[in-house]
Amino acid sequence: STGALIADEVMKRGFSVIALWTQGIPPEVKQHTPVSCGKMDYLAQVDAKDDLMATSEAVYKAAGMKKIVACFAGGDTGVILSDKLSEKIKVRTNGTKVVNRSDKVVQQDIIRKHGLRSLRQVRGEKFSDVEEFLTTEPFPVVLKPSDGAIGAKLCHSMDEAKEHFELLMKSQEQAGVATPGILCQEFLNGSEYVVDHVSRDGEHKTTMVWVYDKGTCNGAPFVYFGTKPLDSESPEAKILIPYIRGVLDALEIANGATSAEVMMTPNGPCLIAMNIRAHGDDGNWRPLAVALTGGYSQVDLTVDSYLDKQKFSTIPSVYPSPFKAAGQEVYLVSKGRGTVRSTPGFEVIKELQSFVYLETGVHPGSSVDFTVDLFSALGCVVLMHPDPKVVNSDIKKIREMENKNEIIEYEAQVTYLK
């Protein structure tokens, strides 16, 4: 995750880092680090204990003679524990006054009470819990697990909603989810944005606003094609940034990185989720952000917010306009299905003039299906160049390769979708 990049930046500045793993983290997550980080040289790795006192004692023991100067979450699973532990050991913290502020339902309830546009939704563990909502909310509606977006579906009827509700509950039970539940939400029609901030003692600095390029493909309504940076002087940014800062204040988030998902509807912005950690995607976007701003990103500013007050103070409240370069993230869309024989398109992409980085888990022997959402993309490409025309030309080339199924070479018996 991007949290590893932040930890790596901390270490580059001469500090030691203890990795504190919350309970239930699988080994593969502990071992995963972005390619740009390499091997993580932690001072120690500590597993969280059954209570906060025992956990803090284990952390202090691992620190030895070193003074603990900061504690923050590297990812979603660490938010609650980092709030509790940072408060207990008396370092910069968001505290625990707002209970479960990372819970998406709690977030909507809080911002609604503060007079901010919120999402109409209900959570249930039985279909009867959500049935009344579905009888009053106009279709289509969105159904998704309460702990994430994987499995989200736009349902157009009561029968379709009930069928998908039961499918999601069964999947959660099989996966052993501790608190299974399904969210039924109003369908927000508009463009989806991500607004990234870093805060210190309640002072919020906007590091970037991104807009998702998405649409219909392969018979699916929500296929993501890319993430584009938005000029801070654009009309949309001037509406989104104050709204999200209002959300941060309502949730009493005063310190650290946040990445807010928000929809711009005909009636204005509406929060989808406030992620109380840095922008995701393994931080692949960091080189692009540094080029766009002319020298900084959310990653290094997060470290500044905890460890370098003076440097934090030199960063502008909102990232500069116009951008110092052109670029975006491009998600690779699969229009084929089968077993991968080779990936010739990846080599072509790496030779593009604006190419910076390719992140993919696809390799010979992988099983690939049609891309129907963000999680089934073939990978992510970061493009960047001083000339916007070069970037646009390279994006066009990638889309042509997708349409001709030239990125992946499959074993026999592949099926193509026109």
Side-chain angles (χ1 to χ4, degrees):
S1 73
T2 306
L5 269 72
I6 297 173
D8 186 58
E9 178 66 23
V10 169
M11 287 186 272
K12 286 177 179 176
R13 299 194 190 187
F15 293 86
S16 298
V17 175
I18 297 171
L20 173 61
W21 302 108
T22 52
Q23 293 184 337
I25 293 290
E28 58 268 24
V29 174
K30 294 181 180 181
Q31 294 164 8
H32 172 76
T33 54
V35 176
S36 58
C37 281
K39 189 176 184 298
M40 301 298 291
D41 186 20
Y42 295 120
L43 174 67
Q45 298 189 51
V46 176
D47 292 319
K49 310 304 178 186
D50 291 335
D51 62 77
L52 188 61
M53 177 64 76
T55 299
S56 64
E57 289 174 353
V59 170
Y60 275 120
K61 182 178 179 180
M65 299 299 293
K66 295 180 180 290
K67 179 182 178 182
I68 299 175
V69 294
C71 172
F72 52 85
D76 291 316
T77 56
V79 172
I80 294 175
L81 179 56
S82 66
D83 282 347
K84 291 180 178 178
L85 185 60
S86 57
E87 183 179 63
K88 180 173 180 57
I89 65 178
K90 294 180 170 50
V91 292
R92 181 163 279 100
T93 182
N94 287 317
T96 58
K97 182 181 175 182
V98 179
V99 180
N100 291 334
R101 66 161 62 84
S102 58
D103 184 289
K104 306 305 184 280
V105 176
V106 171
Q107 290 177 356
Q108 297 292 337
D109 290 342
I110 290 174
I111 67 171
R112 187 179 301 115
K113 291 175 182 176
H114 281 75
L116 296 166
R117 170 70 161 96
S118 60
L119 195 63
R120 295 192 302 274
Q121 64 179 6
V122 66
R123 180 186 183 279
E125 298 178 15
K126 305 185 299 294
F127 187 73
S128 58
D129 296 335
V130 303
E131 199 164 7
E132 182 179 353
F133 174 83
L134 293 174
T135 58
T136 58
E137 183 65 29
F139 281 92
V141 296
V142 177
L143 266 70
K144 64 183 181 182
S146 59
D147 63 343
I150 299 178
K153 183 179 181 181
L154 189 64
C155 298
H156 294 81
S157 68
M158 183 70 80
D159 288 343
E160 186 179 9
K162 184 174 183 180
E163 180 182 353
H164 195 58
F165 184 98
E166 292 171 351
L167 174 66
L168 291 175
M169 280 302 298
K170 184 177 181 180
S171 298
Q172 287 190 328
E173 289 165 1
Q174 290 174 344
V177 175
T179 55
I182 309 303
L183 286 177
C184 297
Q185 300 176 328
E186 68 170 301
F187 172 59
L188 296 174
N189 191 18
S191 297
E192 186 178 353
Y193 297 81
V194 177
V195 184
D196 294 338
H197 278 90
V198 177
S199 307
R200 179 185 167 97
D201 297 337
E203 181 184 3
H204 310 303
K205 298 200 173 185
T206 313
T207 56
M208 193 60 63
V209 177
W210 312 87
V211 58
Y212 282 124
D213 175 16
K214 63 179 182 178
T216 58
C217 185
N218 294 335
F222 303 128
V223 173
Y224 290 77
F225 301 108
T227 308
K228 302 177 181 179
L230 184 70
D231 192 300
S232 61
E233 289 296 317
S234 66
E236 296 87 351
K238 287 182 175 295
I239 295 172
L240 290 164
I241 292 171
Y243 170 80
I244 292 301
R245 290 186 178 188
V247 171
L248 291 170
D249 290 338
L251 297 177
E252 298 186 28
I253 299 171
N255 295 290
T258 52
S259 187
E261 302 165 39
V262 58
M263 191 74 77
M264 182 67 87
T265 74
N267 300 318
C270 181
L271 182 74
I272 299 172
M274 176 61 76
N275 301 297
I276 311 172
R277 40 82 176 159
H279 190 109
D281 287 344
D282 266 2
N284 300 334
W285 43 268
R286 186 186 185 185
L288 173 58
V290 171
L292 293 170
T293 62
Y296 69 93
S297 73
Q298 188 187 37
V299 170
D300 29 274
L301 190 58
T302 299
V303 179
D304 295 338
S305 71
Y306 286 98
L307 301 175
D308 195 334
K309 178 181 178 180
Q310 183 176 358
K311 192 172 181 183
F312 181 84
S313 69
T314 66
I315 301 300
S317 177
V318 178
Y319 59 94
S321 171
F323 288 126
K324 312 298 183 183
Q328 71 170 79
E329 286 186 280
V330 176
Y331 301 119
L332 301 179
V333 176
S334 169
K335 296 188 177 181
R337 169 191 288 161
T339 301
V340 177
R341 175 182 292 173
S342 63
T343 56
F346 290 168
E347 300 311 310
V348 175
I349 290 171
K350 290 176 183 178
E351 295 301 318
L352 294 175
Q353 200 173 348
S354 65
F355 174 80
V356 175
Y357 185 80
L358 167 66
E359 176 77 21
T360 180
V362 175
H363 51 77
S366 296
S367 179
V368 166
D369 208 335
F370 304 118
T371 298
V372 294
D373 54 23
L374 185 59
F375 304 97
S376 51
L378 295 173
C380 172
V381 180
V382 177
L383 302 178
M384 181 179 65
H385 196 273
D387 187 351
K389 292 180 181 178
V390 173
V391 175
N392 291 334
S393 176
D394 289 349
I395 294 172
K396 183 179 179 182
K397 174 64 177 177
I398 291 173
R399 298 305 177 208
E400 288 173 352
M401 293 170 65
E402 291 173 342
N403 290 332
K404 295 177 182 178
N405 275 291
E406 293 177 345
I407 295 178
I408 303 294
E409 181 182 339
Y410 296 95
E411 300 289 356
Q413 299 181 338
V414 63
T415 300
Y416 294 114
L417 191 67
K418 299 296 185 183

